[in-house]
Amino acid sequence: MTLACPECHSIIYARHLKGLGQLAVSQEQERAWPQARETWQQMLQWLPAGTEQSQMVAGHLAAIDGRIEQGEQRTATWKKRLGPLAPAAFFLMKAKTFLFALLKFKFLFSFFAFFGVYWALFGWRFGLGFAVSILIHELGHYVAARRRGLKADLPVFLPGFGAYVRWYSMGISLDALSSIALAGPFAGLLAAAACAAMYFFTKVELWAALAHAGAWLNLINLVPVLGLDGAQATHALNRMQRGLILAAAILFFAFLHEGVFLFIAAGMAWRLFTGSAPENPSSATMIRYTLLLFLLGALMGLVPQTMRRF
């Protein structure tokens, strides 16, 4: 594979390398050294051997290896000093880091403000359950992004509207981008299914209300417009795949009579004629998208819709 122009000697994949470099820098800022090392190693494979750029990246890799080795040596030293108390000490250190991140003011303030709005409208039990369901949806995005070594912030709630997770997608494929986008609705599906199971077990209407509302909201997120999850996932689909999902949404509406499927169909029809389509579309994204539509719609059909104060 040719990595540099034989005439002007410029690097052919400069834009891709720039994205990888930005991702590696963000990983280093998070002190995720193993992930940063892997990203720099990917850059090295796209650089012509013997160039100044490849030597610079190789030197940076050596520096990261030194940091990782120093960290391992410090860990080994503390394990030796603490003896049998080492596992408990390291657990407490990790727990402290986790609690510090969890207690970030913006996350907590927005969560309780969101909870307060739905408490006022539908009672504290529905308000709390609905807020937790939205949190589970957003944590689906958060975990999916972090698993891929990407920088991601804790969820921020918008009272009366929803919530979002800010994450940084430079240098990843469209398939990975769509996977992170659909991870939220999949997590939301699990939360709604758990509420449905509680309803069928207890016959308490609160659980039916939470299951129905959760499934509806996750379907709304699959409408492929603006910054919704469906719009992000659609970037990995070609026009034929978008047409198939459009047909599936109309079919689901015909069987389930849920109006939200018409919004999804309308959004996908618009996407047939706007935006670019990838040269290598993702069949996995189309399958996940369609499966989410079916399961969330079926869940809405199984549990009764109840909107009152609890």
Side-chain angles (χ1 to χ4, degrees):
M1 181 174 62
T2 304
L3 299 177
C5 175
E7 296 181 0
C8 64
H9 305 292
S10 61
I11 297 174
I12 296 175
Y13 302 97
R15 180 177 295 182
H16 178 65
L17 287 168
K18 182 180 179 181
L20 287 175
Q22 291 173 338
L23 173 60
V25 170
S26 68
Q27 290 169 335
E28 290 183 7
Q29 290 173 348
E30 292 289 313
R31 306 187 71 81
W33 300 114
Q35 292 88 344
R37 187 191 189 286
E38 183 179 350
T39 304
W40 285 115
Q41 189 68 46
Q42 290 179 25
M43 285 189 65
L44 196 60
Q45 296 173 2
W46 290 90
L47 288 168
T51 61
E52 182 180 348
Q53 292 93 334
S54 66
Q55 292 174 1
M56 182 184 70
V57 172
H60 200 77
L61 281 169
I64 291 177
D65 287 338
R67 283 181 176 271
I68 294 175
E69 185 178 353
Q70 288 176 4
E72 291 174 349
Q73 289 176 351
R74 284 196 298 267
T75 301
T77 301
W78 278 107
K79 283 183 177 180
K80 184 176 180 181
R81 291 178 180 176
L82 295 171
L85 297 176
F90 283 108
F91 172 79
L92 290 174
M93 289 175 63
K94 291 181 179 180
K96 180 181 177 182
T97 302
F98 174 77
L99 289 174
F100 177 78
L102 190 63
L103 293 175
K104 284 187 175 180
F105 176 76
K106 185 166 61 174
F107 163 68
L108 277 181
F109 179 79
S110 64
F111 176 83
F112 284 112
F114 185 91
F115 164 48
V117 169
Y118 288 94
W119 180 354
L121 292 173
F122 302 109
W124 74 268
R125 290 189 296 170
F126 180 87
L128 180 60
F130 190 61
V132 170
S133 296
I134 301 299
L135 175 61
I136 291 172
H137 171 108
E138 297 304 331
L139 287 178
H141 295 306
Y142 180 84
V143 171
R146 296 290 291 181
R147 280 183 57 199
R148 290 166 174 79
L150 301 176
K151 182 181 178 182
D153 298 335
L154 286 172
V156 175
F157 289 79
L158 304 174
F161 293 96
Y164 69 92
V165 167
R166 186 172 62 177
W167 52 281
Y168 304 87
S169 59
M170 294 299 298
I172 67 170
S173 66
L174 289 177
D175 187 62
L177 177 69
S178 67
S179 296
I180 297 172
L182 294 180
F186 265 113
L189 168 66
L190 295 178
C195 292
M198 288 298 296
Y199 166 70
F200 291 121
F201 182 73
T202 64
K203 299 302 179 182
V204 175
E205 287 188 347
L206 169 66
W207 295 112
L210 288 171
H212 197 280
W216 179 85
L217 188 66
N218 281 280
L219 276 172
I220 284 292
N221 266 280
L222 291 174
V223 178
V225 297
L226 303 176
L228 296 177
D229 299 332
Q232 298 295 322
T234 304
H235 290 311
L237 303 175
N238 62 19
R239 303 201 187 283
M240 183 183 73
Q241 291 171 328
R242 297 173 191 181
L244 291 173
I245 293 178
L246 164 62
I250 294 174
L251 188 64
F252 291 150
F253 171 74
F255 280 97
L256 300 170
H257 306 290
E258 295 289 350
V260 64
F261 285 109
L262 290 181
F263 288 102
I264 295 170
M268 202 57 74
W270 178 64
R271 289 286 178 178
L272 283 175
F273 305 102
T274 59
S276 59
E279 295 181 1
N280 299 309
S282 171
S283 298
T285 297
M286 188 187 74
I287 293 171
R288 287 192 290 262
Y289 206 126
T290 308
L291 186 62
L292 275 169
L293 294 181
F294 172 73
L295 293 177
L296 289 167
L299 193 58
M300 289 181 68
L302 286 173
V303 296
Q305 183 177 5
T306 305
M307 293 302 293
R308 63 177 181 84
R309 292 184 63 85
F310 290 95

